[in-house]
Amino acid sequence: MLAGPALAECRLALVLALDVSSSVDASEDALQRGGLVAALTAPEVEAAFFAGDDPVALAVYEWSGRYNQELLLDWTLIDSRERLLSVAERLARSIRSHNDFPTAMGYALGYGSRLLQRAPGCLYQTLDMAGDGQNNEGFGPMLAYEEFPFDGVTVNGLVVNGADYEAETGLIAFYQAQVLHGPGAFLEVAQGFEDYERAMRRKLERELALPVIGALPAPVDTEPKG
C-alpha cells in the first residue's frame, strides 16, 4: 500500500482488469494469470517500469458479473525490482474468485473508476480492460462512461480472440466502438489465451513507455509478434 509523500510522486496509476466470466474456463484462466505474471517480469516490461525518474502505481482486479469484482492487488508503488517481483509472486499465488457469472463490463468499469478515485496522485491514469466477450449483463461501457467519473482516464483494451472468425471480428469492433476511451487509447489483440502473455507484454510496454500516454491513437495490431 502507498503512504506518505509517495502519493504525489508517481507518473502513472495503472489498473489491470482480468475477465473471469463463465466464458473463461479453468485452463484459460491459468494461461491468463500466468501470462500476466510472465509479462510483468519480462525484461522489456521491467525496463519500461523504471524508464522514468518517477515510479508507477499498480492495482489489479478480476471481474465477471455485475456484483462480482475482486481486488487482487491494491495500489502498490513499483519503486524497485524487488517490489515488482513481489507483486508478480502475489499475483501468481492468486486464486480465481468466481467462475460462473456473465460478462458485466459496465459494472467492471464502474469498479475500476472507483478504484482510480482513490489512486495516488499520479500524472496519468490508465485502466486496462481485458476480456474474451462482449457485455451481456447490465449496462454497457458507454453508459458507464456517462455515469462514472472518467475524466482524464485512458481505457485501453486487450481482446482475447476465440476460434470463430465472426465472433472475433465482432469483439474487436465492440472494443473499438465502446470500450476504448480517452486520449491515446489503444487495443491489443491476443489470438487465444495461449497468446495472452505476448499481447499483455506488448500492451504494458506501450502503456509504460515515455511519454506515458501517446498523443495519437495507434492502429489495432491483430497479428502475433515475438
Side-chain angles (χ1 to χ4, degrees):
M1 294 288 294
L2 297 174
L7 292 176
E9 297 176 358
C10 50
R11 57 187 170 94
L12 173 66
L14 176 61
V15 183
L16 306 179
L18 307 180
D19 181 2
V20 293
S21 61
S22 57
S23 61
V24 180
D25 65 27
S27 61
E28 291 170 337
D29 180 66
L31 288 168
Q32 171 179 238
R33 217 166 287 260
L36 172 59
V37 171
L40 284 171
T41 55
E44 53 269 58
V45 173
E46 179 182 329
F49 263 109
F50 304 116
D53 294 332
D54 295 323
V56 172
L58 183 67
V60 183
Y61 69 96
E62 56 186 34
W63 61 277
S64 55
R66 63 179 67 194
Y67 305 121
N68 307 110
Q69 302 91 27
E70 188 74 21
L71 189 63
L72 300 181
L73 177 73
D74 208 346
W75 288 112
T76 301
L77 197 68
I78 308 300
D79 54 3
S80 67
R81 184 174 187 270
E82 290 72 23
R83 184 64 58 86
L84 179 60
L85 293 176
S86 174
V87 162
E89 290 172 1
R90 176 173 177 174
L91 294 172
R93 294 192 303 268
S94 65
I95 299 174
R96 180 175 182 168
S97 58
H98 303 285
N99 61 13
D100 55 356
F101 290 94
T103 305
M105 190 174 291
Y107 286 86
L109 286 166
Y111 182 90
S113 173
R114 291 191 293 272
L115 187 57
L116 283 165
Q117 282 186 284
R118 61 177 186 80
C122 301
L123 293 176
Y124 299 94
Q125 292 189 332
T126 294
L127 173 58
D128 207 322
M129 290 295 296
D132 76 335
Q134 299 186 33
N135 184 76
N136 59 20
E137 182 184 47
F139 58 88
M142 299 303 289
L143 185 57
Y145 293 139
E146 292 178 8
E147 297 297 326
F148 293 93
F150 276 94
D151 290 346
V153 176
T154 296
V155 180
N156 296 326
L158 193 161
V159 163
V160 183
N161 274 349
D164 180 74
Y165 178 76
E166 290 186 4
E168 295 171 4
T169 303
L171 184 57
I172 290 172
F174 171 77
Y175 264 76
Q176 289 176 319
Q178 298 194 40
V179 180
L180 300 187
H181 174 84
F186 68 90
L187 181 65
E188 199 70 51
V189 178
Q191 303 295 345
F193 281 91
E194 295 81 1
D195 191 37
Y196 195 94
E197 176 186 342
R198 179 205 62 85
M200 177 61 76
R201 173 171 48 80
R202 281 175 53 84
K203 185 168 54 55
L204 287 170
E205 285 184 79
R206 291 177 65 177
E207 289 167 335
L208 297 168
L210 298 174
V212 177
I213 304 298
L216 297 174
V220 175
D221 185 357
T222 61
E223 296 298 326
K225 293 182 176 63

